[in-house]
Structure formats: C-alpha cells, structure tokens
Amino acid sequence: MKLNKNFFNLHDDYLFYKIISKAKEFEKTNPKLKIISLGIGDTTMPLCRAVISAMKKSVTEMSKKETYRGYGLEQGCKFLRFAIKKYYKKREIDLSISEIFINDGAGRAISEIQELFDSNNTTLIVNPTYPAYVDISILAGKKIIFANANQKNLFSPTPNKNTKCDIIYLCSPNNPTGSVYTHEALKKWVNYALKNNAVILFDAAYEAFVSSKNLPRSIFEIDGAKKCAIEICSLSKTAGFTGVRCGYIVIPDKLIFENHKINKLWMRRQTTKYNGLSYITQRGAEAVFTNEGQKQNKKIIEYYKENVKIINESLKKIGIWTCCSNNSPYVFAKCPNNMNSWKFFDFLLYKLSIIVSPGIGFGSAGEGFIRLSGFGDRNKTIEATKRFEKIREFLG
Ligand code: PLP
C-alpha cells in the first residue's frame, strides 16, 4: 500500500488550528485576562424561531409510525429543492429542481466536486481566499495558479492575458476580504470560461450578506453562466447552520463537457456515495426559505453586519486602512507600521487580548493584513473596539 503523497504537499498547520493553539497558550499564561475573539468565522446567534419550530415538528413526525421517514432521495427532499428554486426565482433565475443537489454544507461540496475533474487540470484560485480551495486542490493533485487580489484591483481580480486554467474557484462575497464581484467583473470570468472550456466553481456561502441591489448574489445572474458554472451554497452563515449542516449545489442542465452532462455525472456519483441529508435538517432548511424564516434570518445578518460596521469605523478612526464592502461579515484590515500578519496578530493578542485571523493564512497576497469577524457578540465587539483605541498608544 502506498500513501497519497499529495498529503505531504500540504502546509503543516491549518490556519484556524494554529490560531486556537496560540490563543490557548496565551490563556494558560494569562488566566486573568479576558480574551475577545474576532478571529474565527463561526456564527454565534441561535437558530431562528421558524427553523426551530419546523425541526421540532419533524421530530414529532419521526416519532409516529404513520409519519416516520427512512432514507430520503440522494439529491435531497423535493420540498427543500422547490423552496430553493423559488428563492432563485425571486432573483429572476430559473432553475429546475433536478439542477439542485442538497448536501451537508459547502465545505464538503467544494472538495467533493473535484472528483468530476481530471487531476491534470489546472486550478485557478484567487489569492487571498478561503484556504480550503488550495488544500483540496493539492490533495487532488491539481496544478494551482493564483489570481492575486490587491488594493489596486479592489480585491476582485479578473482574468488577464496570462490566465491559463481549467477550473476556477471564485468566492463572492470573498472570505476574507469581503469584496464582492460586480456583474461586469463576473462577466469577464464567464467569458473566459466559455472561451477556454473552463468551469467556474462559484462559492456563494456569503450571498445572503449582499444587500447592495446592484451586486450579484449568484453566478447565474450572468448571461452564459449556466454553460460554464456550478454554484455552491450553504446555510451555515445565512441561517446559523454551522452546527446543523446543510448546503446545496446548483449544476445546470446546460453544463456539458466532453459531451457529458455534468448534472448527470454528479447524480450518478451521489447515488453511490451519498444517502441524503437528515429529514429533520431538511425541514429546518425549508423554513429558512419561508417569508418568516427570511425575515428572522435577515435580522440576525443585520446584527452581524452592524458588528462589522462598528469594527470598521473604529479601525478607520485610528487610521487603519480597511477593505469593507458592507456586504460581508468580515473586515479586512491593513496591519499598521508595515507589520506582517502574524506580528500584528501577536501584538493584538499579547497587548490587547484580542484574537483576529492573520491575512497570510488565506494566501500569500493576504500578508500584511488581518481579518476581523462580525460574527461575535455585540458587547464584546464594542469592548474590542475600545481596546483598539490603545493601538496608537503602543505603536504611535
Ligand atoms: N466557503 C466559504 C467561503 C467559507 O468561508 C466557509 C466556512 O467558513 C465554507 C465554504 C464552509 O461552509 P460550510 O459550513 O457550509 O461547510
């Protein structure tokens, strides 16, 4: 037996594991200090009432012989796929329920979707972005190239004359920068993909945070995207499902490579490898798409976005440059005094007892930046911003 040698090409540390280890060590040596975490992108608000009551109702159904359910459809329950179809229709995107696949979240989907593609393909990844795309591509033995995001291109790079790739991971709103692709910029990627026989894997995990009406929340808002893109979405950040687990992939019927419908291939794969998501979870997910669920979750998203605003304003006040689109749960901030990401991380931890995420953990182009999360508690967020006022005292 031989091991998958691609494992040894991974970086030693997974970013969030390293952050937690550093925080734990600090806590051990400074037990009296109150640490505030603006680091990890996990949600903190409870599930909304609509979801809880739908899940409770389905638990009762499971307790009676007449309404008990066993295995469901591999592709996901029809009621949930209809709810998602309606959700897209509100944005004038027509989908059939056979184009929607329910799963247990975007993390698994962005990885497993690689099974469709030959390992000789070249994958393009925006730098910086969600680090899993790189690890997944390394494990799958793919060649990786990067599209560098920076202040000049507003952290939304588009293809240029040197771009040569077959698989394109795009994340909009982007984790960690919060930048959102415009229709015009996405059209450039769609045109590139159509012209070069490439596929776009569009991670829309944060689409619900987009409130600017003129910005796209789905790749399928772009003409031609159904012929070159797969959309990966999740209820983790939209509805606090990080611990419940539910997401979905949209694979259009028109997506065809080498005369094969990708939708059919994925369906074939799912019927072998997946026995469906739990019925209780799918009923909870269905409630997310009801009017009541949408209203209740909007309030929670507004709460997180208000945290973002508070963090952003406090950093700007002390002269720290930020990339804050107001359409994401994150603030991406430039480290002051030319510090690198880990140095500023250590400074904030050791001087102010605040945890953030170092930008370098999201790619080399994230060096010199940090990511701050709006997913925390309001009072703790305000307390953190009071501590930020001391940054200039320490650094000048
Ligand atoms: N995609 C992005 C851009 C993320 O930031 C995350 C989690 O933080 C995920 C996917 C994973 O989401 P899920 O909880 O649905 O697996």
Short mmCIF file of all heavy atoms in Angstrom, two decimals, residues 14 16 41-42 103-110 129-133 171-176 203-206 232-237 241-243 245-247 330 362 371 375, ligand 1:
data_model
loop_
_atom_site.label_atom_id
_atom_site.label_comp_id
_atom_site.label_asym_id
_atom_site.label_seq_id
_atom_site.Cartn_x
_atom_site.Cartn_y
_atom_site.Cartn_z
N TYR A 14 -3.05 23.98 9.76
CA TYR A 14 -4.31 24.53 9.27
C TYR A 14 -4.50 25.84 10.03
O TYR A 14 -4.38 25.88 11.25
CB TYR A 14 -5.46 23.53 9.52
CG TYR A 14 -6.78 24.02 8.97
CD1 TYR A 14 -6.94 24.25 7.61
CD2 TYR A 14 -7.87 24.24 9.80
CE1 TYR A 14 -8.14 24.71 7.10
CE2 TYR A 14 -9.07 24.69 9.30
CZ TYR A 14 -9.20 24.92 7.95
OH TYR A 14 -10.39 25.38 7.45
N PHE A 16 -6.80 27.86 11.22
CA PHE A 16 -7.61 28.08 12.41
C PHE A 16 -7.12 27.25 13.60
O PHE A 16 -7.26 27.64 14.75
CB PHE A 16 -9.09 27.84 12.10
CG PHE A 16 -9.57 28.79 11.03
CD1 PHE A 16 -9.88 28.35 9.76
CD2 PHE A 16 -9.64 30.15 11.29
CE1 PHE A 16 -10.28 29.25 8.77
CE2 PHE A 16 -10.03 31.06 10.31
CZ PHE A 16 -10.35 30.60 9.05
N GLY A 41 -14.58 32.44 11.87
CA GLY A 41 -15.84 32.83 11.22
C GLY A 41 -17.03 31.95 11.55
O GLY A 41 -17.83 31.65 10.67
N ASP A 42 -17.15 31.55 12.83
CA ASP A 42 -18.32 30.74 13.20
C ASP A 42 -19.45 31.66 13.67
O ASP A 42 -19.20 32.73 14.22
CB ASP A 42 -17.94 29.76 14.32
CG ASP A 42 -18.94 28.62 14.45
OD1 ASP A 42 -19.92 28.60 13.68
OD2 ASP A 42 -18.74 27.75 15.31
N ASN A 103 -26.89 18.99 0.25
CA ASN A 103 -25.78 18.29 0.92
C ASN A 103 -25.60 18.83 2.34
O ASN A 103 -26.42 19.62 2.80
CB ASN A 103 -24.50 18.45 0.10
CG ASN A 103 -24.17 19.91 -0.12
OD1 ASN A 103 -24.37 20.73 0.76
ND2 ASN A 103 -23.68 20.25 -1.31
N ASP A 104 -24.52 18.44 2.98
CA ASP A 104 -24.38 18.87 4.39
C ASP A 104 -23.46 20.09 4.54
O ASP A 104 -22.90 20.32 5.60
CB ASP A 104 -23.95 17.71 5.29
CG ASP A 104 -22.50 17.32 5.08
OD1 ASP A 104 -21.85 17.88 4.17
OD2 ASP A 104 -22.01 16.46 5.82
N GLY A 105 -23.31 20.87 3.49
CA GLY A 105 -22.55 22.12 3.63
C GLY A 105 -21.56 22.32 2.51
O GLY A 105 -21.19 21.39 1.79
N ALA A 106 -21.10 23.58 2.40
CA ALA A 106 -20.22 23.94 1.28
C ALA A 106 -18.83 23.33 1.42
O ALA A 106 -18.18 23.05 0.41
CB ALA A 106 -20.13 25.46 1.20
N GLY A 107 -18.38 23.13 2.67
CA GLY A 107 -17.03 22.58 2.88
C GLY A 107 -16.86 21.26 2.16
O GLY A 107 -15.89 21.05 1.41
N ARG A 108 -17.83 20.37 2.34
CA ARG A 108 -17.77 19.06 1.70
C ARG A 108 -17.92 19.20 0.18
O ARG A 108 -17.22 18.57 -0.60
CB ARG A 108 -18.89 18.17 2.24
CG ARG A 108 -18.97 16.82 1.58
CD ARG A 108 -20.32 16.20 1.86
NE ARG A 108 -20.42 15.64 3.19
CZ ARG A 108 -20.29 14.33 3.44
NH1 ARG A 108 -20.04 13.50 2.48
NH2 ARG A 108 -20.41 13.89 4.66
N ALA A 109 -18.83 20.09 -0.22
CA ALA A 109 -19.14 20.22 -1.65
C ALA A 109 -17.95 20.72 -2.45
O ALA A 109 -17.64 20.19 -3.51
CB ALA A 109 -20.33 21.16 -1.83
N ILE A 110 -17.25 21.76 -1.91
CA ILE A 110 -16.14 22.32 -2.69
C ILE A 110 -15.01 21.30 -2.85
O ILE A 110 -14.23 21.39 -3.78
CB ILE A 110 -15.59 23.66 -2.11
CG1 ILE A 110 -15.18 23.52 -0.67
CG2 ILE A 110 -16.57 24.79 -2.29
CD1 ILE A 110 -14.68 24.81 -0.04
N THR A 129 -7.91 33.92 -0.35
CA THR A 129 -9.30 33.44 -0.26
C THR A 129 -9.40 32.31 0.75
O THR A 129 -8.41 31.97 1.42
CB THR A 129 -9.83 33.04 -1.65
OG1 THR A 129 -11.25 32.99 -1.61
CG2 THR A 129 -9.31 31.69 -2.10
N TYR A 130 -10.58 31.73 0.84
CA TYR A 130 -10.84 30.62 1.77
C TYR A 130 -9.79 29.53 1.56
O TYR A 130 -9.68 28.99 0.44
CB TYR A 130 -12.26 30.11 1.49
CG TYR A 130 -12.77 29.05 2.40
CD1 TYR A 130 -12.72 29.20 3.78
CD2 TYR A 130 -13.35 27.88 1.88
CE1 TYR A 130 -13.21 28.22 4.62
CE2 TYR A 130 -13.86 26.90 2.73
CZ TYR A 130 -13.78 27.08 4.08
OH TYR A 130 -14.27 26.11 4.91
N PRO A 131 -9.00 29.22 2.59
CA PRO A 131 -7.82 28.36 2.36
C PRO A 131 -8.13 26.93 1.91
O PRO A 131 -7.27 26.26 1.34
CB PRO A 131 -7.10 28.36 3.71
CG PRO A 131 -8.03 28.96 4.70
CD PRO A 131 -9.08 29.72 3.96
N ALA A 132 -9.35 26.48 2.12
CA ALA A 132 -9.67 25.09 1.75
C ALA A 132 -9.50 24.82 0.26
O ALA A 132 -9.13 23.71 -0.13
CB ALA A 132 -11.09 24.76 2.19
N TYR A 133 -9.74 25.84 -0.60
CA TYR A 133 -9.62 25.59 -2.05
C TYR A 133 -8.22 25.10 -2.41
O TYR A 133 -8.05 24.24 -3.27
CB TYR A 133 -9.89 26.86 -2.88
CG TYR A 133 -11.17 27.60 -2.59
CD1 TYR A 133 -11.20 28.99 -2.59
CD2 TYR A 133 -12.34 26.93 -2.32
CE1 TYR A 133 -12.37 29.69 -2.34
CE2 TYR A 133 -13.51 27.62 -2.06
CZ TYR A 133 -13.52 29.00 -2.06
OH TYR A 133 -14.67 29.68 -1.79
N CYS A 171 -15.07 33.13 -5.03
CA CYS A 171 -15.83 33.23 -3.78
C CYS A 171 -16.30 34.67 -3.67
O CYS A 171 -15.49 35.58 -3.58
CB CYS A 171 -14.90 32.86 -2.63
SG CYS A 171 -15.64 33.03 -1.01
N SER A 172 -17.61 34.88 -3.71
CA SER A 172 -18.13 36.25 -3.68
C SER A 172 -19.45 36.26 -2.91
O SER A 172 -20.37 35.54 -3.30
CB SER A 172 -18.32 36.74 -5.11
OG SER A 172 -18.81 38.06 -5.13
N PRO A 173 -19.54 37.05 -1.84
CA PRO A 173 -18.52 37.86 -1.20
C PRO A 173 -17.34 37.00 -0.75
O PRO A 173 -17.53 35.87 -0.29
CB PRO A 173 -19.23 38.46 0.02
CG PRO A 173 -20.69 38.38 -0.31
CD PRO A 173 -20.86 37.19 -1.18
N ASN A 174 -16.16 37.59 -0.88
CA ASN A 174 -14.95 36.82 -0.62
C ASN A 174 -14.65 36.71 0.87
O ASN A 174 -14.81 37.66 1.62
CB ASN A 174 -13.76 37.50 -1.33
CG ASN A 174 -12.47 36.75 -1.13
OD1 ASN A 174 -11.77 36.92 -0.15
ND2 ASN A 174 -12.13 35.89 -2.08
N ASN A 175 -14.26 35.52 1.25
CA ASN A 175 -13.67 35.29 2.57
C ASN A 175 -12.17 35.20 2.31
O ASN A 175 -11.77 34.32 1.56
CB ASN A 175 -14.21 33.98 3.16
CG ASN A 175 -13.57 33.64 4.49
OD1 ASN A 175 -12.87 34.44 5.06
ND2 ASN A 175 -13.80 32.42 4.96
N PRO A 176 -11.34 36.10 2.80
CA PRO A 176 -11.51 37.00 3.93
C PRO A 176 -11.74 38.47 3.58
O PRO A 176 -12.02 39.26 4.46
CB PRO A 176 -10.14 36.89 4.62
CG PRO A 176 -9.18 36.83 3.45
CD PRO A 176 -9.91 36.02 2.40
N ASP A 203 -18.46 29.87 -5.17
CA ASP A 203 -18.82 29.68 -3.76
C ASP A 203 -19.60 30.90 -3.29
O ASP A 203 -19.05 31.99 -3.10
CB ASP A 203 -17.53 29.49 -2.95
CG ASP A 203 -17.79 29.16 -1.49
OD1 ASP A 203 -18.90 29.42 -1.00
OD2 ASP A 203 -16.86 28.64 -0.82
N ALA A 204 -20.90 30.69 -3.09
CA ALA A 204 -21.79 31.80 -2.70
C ALA A 204 -22.20 31.67 -1.23
O ALA A 204 -23.29 32.07 -0.84
CB ALA A 204 -23.01 31.82 -3.60
N ALA A 205 -21.29 31.13 -0.41
CA ALA A 205 -21.62 30.87 1.01
C ALA A 205 -22.08 32.14 1.75
O ALA A 205 -22.83 32.05 2.72
CB ALA A 205 -20.41 30.27 1.72
N TYR A 206 -21.64 33.31 1.28
CA TYR A 206 -22.00 34.56 1.98
C TYR A 206 -22.99 35.42 1.19
O TYR A 206 -23.12 36.61 1.45
CB TYR A 206 -20.72 35.37 2.27
CG TYR A 206 -19.78 34.64 3.21
CD1 TYR A 206 -18.69 33.92 2.71
CD2 TYR A 206 -19.99 34.65 4.58
CE1 TYR A 206 -17.84 33.23 3.56
CE2 TYR A 206 -19.15 33.96 5.44
CZ TYR A 206 -18.08 33.26 4.93
OH TYR A 206 -17.24 32.57 5.78
N ILE A 232 -22.07 26.79 -5.47
CA ILE A 232 -22.03 26.06 -4.20
C ILE A 232 -22.51 27.01 -3.12
O ILE A 232 -22.00 28.12 -3.00
CB ILE A 232 -20.58 25.58 -3.92
CG1 ILE A 232 -20.16 24.55 -4.98
CG2 ILE A 232 -20.46 25.00 -2.51
CD1 ILE A 232 -18.70 24.37 -5.13
N CYS A 233 -23.51 26.59 -2.38
CA CYS A 233 -24.06 27.50 -1.37
C CYS A 233 -24.29 26.76 -0.06
O CYS A 233 -24.25 25.53 -0.02
CB CYS A 233 -25.37 28.09 -1.90
SG CYS A 233 -25.66 29.71 -1.20
N SER A 234 -24.50 27.52 0.99
CA SER A 234 -24.57 26.92 2.31
C SER A 234 -25.52 27.72 3.20
O SER A 234 -25.66 28.93 3.02
CB SER A 234 -23.16 26.96 2.91
OG SER A 234 -23.20 26.75 4.30
N LEU A 235 -26.14 27.04 4.14
CA LEU A 235 -26.99 27.77 5.10
C LEU A 235 -26.21 28.08 6.38
O LEU A 235 -26.76 28.61 7.33
CB LEU A 235 -28.24 26.95 5.44
CG LEU A 235 -29.18 26.66 4.27
CD1 LEU A 235 -30.50 26.07 4.76
CD2 LEU A 235 -29.47 27.92 3.45
N SER A 236 -24.91 27.75 6.38
CA SER A 236 -24.10 27.95 7.59
C SER A 236 -24.11 29.40 8.05
O SER A 236 -24.39 29.69 9.21
CB SER A 236 -22.65 27.53 7.34
OG SER A 236 -22.56 26.13 7.38
N LYS A 237 -23.79 30.32 7.13
CA LYS A 237 -23.68 31.72 7.53
C LYS A 237 -25.01 32.44 7.29
O LYS A 237 -25.31 33.43 7.93
CB LYS A 237 -22.55 32.42 6.76
CG LYS A 237 -21.21 31.65 6.79
CD LYS A 237 -20.66 31.44 8.19
CE LYS A 237 -19.61 30.37 8.27
NZ LYS A 237 -18.29 30.74 7.93
N PHE A 241 -26.44 27.59 10.36
CA PHE A 241 -26.43 26.13 10.27
C PHE A 241 -25.02 25.53 10.40
O PHE A 241 -24.81 24.40 10.00
CB PHE A 241 -27.04 25.68 8.93
CG PHE A 241 -28.55 25.48 8.98
CD1 PHE A 241 -29.37 26.47 9.49
CD2 PHE A 241 -29.13 24.31 8.51
CE1 PHE A 241 -30.76 26.30 9.53
CE2 PHE A 241 -30.50 24.12 8.55
CZ PHE A 241 -31.32 25.12 9.06
N THR A 242 -24.06 26.29 10.95
CA THR A 242 -22.69 25.75 11.02
C THR A 242 -22.65 24.43 11.78
O THR A 242 -21.90 23.53 11.43
CB THR A 242 -21.72 26.77 11.66
OG1 THR A 242 -22.30 27.25 12.86
CG2 THR A 242 -21.42 27.94 10.75
N GLY A 243 -23.50 24.33 12.81
CA GLY A 243 -23.52 23.08 13.58
C GLY A 243 -24.63 22.13 13.15
O GLY A 243 -24.63 20.95 13.53
N ARG A 245 -25.70 21.79 9.73
CA ARG A 245 -25.16 21.33 8.46
C ARG A 245 -26.20 21.20 7.36
O ARG A 245 -27.05 20.31 7.38
CB ARG A 245 -24.41 19.97 8.57
CG ARG A 245 -23.42 19.84 9.69
CD ARG A 245 -22.33 20.87 9.67
NE ARG A 245 -21.58 20.88 8.43
CZ ARG A 245 -21.04 22.00 7.92
NH1 ARG A 245 -21.16 23.16 8.53
NH2 ARG A 245 -20.37 21.92 6.78
N CYS A 246 -26.19 22.12 6.44
CA CYS A 246 -26.99 21.98 5.21
C CYS A 246 -26.48 22.97 4.16
O CYS A 246 -26.20 24.13 4.47
CB CYS A 246 -28.47 22.26 5.47
SG CYS A 246 -29.48 22.07 3.97
N GLY A 247 -26.34 22.49 2.96
CA GLY A 247 -25.94 23.35 1.84
C GLY A 247 -26.55 22.79 0.56
O GLY A 247 -27.30 21.81 0.60
N TYR A 330 -17.14 40.22 7.28
CA TYR A 330 -15.73 40.41 7.63
C TYR A 330 -15.21 41.81 7.31
O TYR A 330 -15.67 42.46 6.38
CB TYR A 330 -14.85 39.40 6.88
CG TYR A 330 -15.22 37.97 7.14
CD1 TYR A 330 -15.61 37.12 6.10
CD2 TYR A 330 -15.20 37.45 8.44
CE1 TYR A 330 -15.96 35.79 6.34
CE2 TYR A 330 -15.56 36.13 8.68
CZ TYR A 330 -15.94 35.31 7.63
OH TYR A 330 -16.28 34.01 7.87
N PHE A 362 -4.70 33.12 4.50
CA PHE A 362 -5.63 32.97 3.37
C PHE A 362 -4.90 33.05 2.04
O PHE A 362 -5.53 33.12 0.99
CB PHE A 362 -6.70 34.07 3.44
CG PHE A 362 -7.54 34.01 4.68
CD1 PHE A 362 -7.17 34.68 5.84
CD2 PHE A 362 -8.71 33.26 4.71
CE1 PHE A 362 -7.93 34.63 6.99
CE2 PHE A 362 -9.49 33.20 5.86
CZ PHE A 362 -9.10 33.89 7.00
N ARG A 371 -7.90 39.62 9.20
CA ARG A 371 -9.36 39.56 9.01
C ARG A 371 -10.03 39.63 10.37
O ARG A 371 -9.64 38.92 11.30
CB ARG A 371 -9.76 38.25 8.32
CG ARG A 371 -11.24 38.20 7.95
CD ARG A 371 -11.72 36.78 7.65
NE ARG A 371 -11.87 36.01 8.87
CZ ARG A 371 -12.35 34.76 8.92
NH1 ARG A 371 -12.70 34.14 7.81
NH2 ARG A 371 -12.45 34.12 10.07
N PHE A 375 -19.06 38.09 13.45
CA PHE A 375 -19.95 37.05 13.95
C PHE A 375 -20.03 36.98 15.48
O PHE A 375 -20.69 36.11 16.02
CB PHE A 375 -19.51 35.67 13.42
CG PHE A 375 -19.91 35.41 12.00
CD1 PHE A 375 -18.97 35.11 11.02
CD2 PHE A 375 -21.24 35.45 11.61
CE1 PHE A 375 -19.34 34.85 9.71
CE2 PHE A 375 -21.63 35.20 10.30
CZ PHE A 375 -20.67 34.90 9.35
N1 PLP B 1 -16.96 28.52 1.78
C1 PLP B 1 -16.51 29.60 2.41
C2 PLP B 1 -16.07 30.78 1.61
C3 PLP B 1 -16.42 29.65 3.82
O1 PLP B 1 -15.94 30.74 4.42
C4 PLP B 1 -16.82 28.51 4.55
C5 PLP B 1 -16.75 28.49 6.01
O2 PLP B 1 -16.33 29.38 6.68
C6 PLP B 1 -17.29 27.41 3.84
C7 PLP B 1 -17.34 27.44 2.47
C8 PLP B 1 -17.71 26.17 4.56
O3 PLP B 1 -19.06 26.26 4.87
P1 PLP B 1 -19.92 25.07 5.43
O4 PLP B 1 -20.15 25.34 6.87
O5 PLP B 1 -21.18 25.12 4.62
O6 PLP B 1 -19.18 23.80 5.20
#
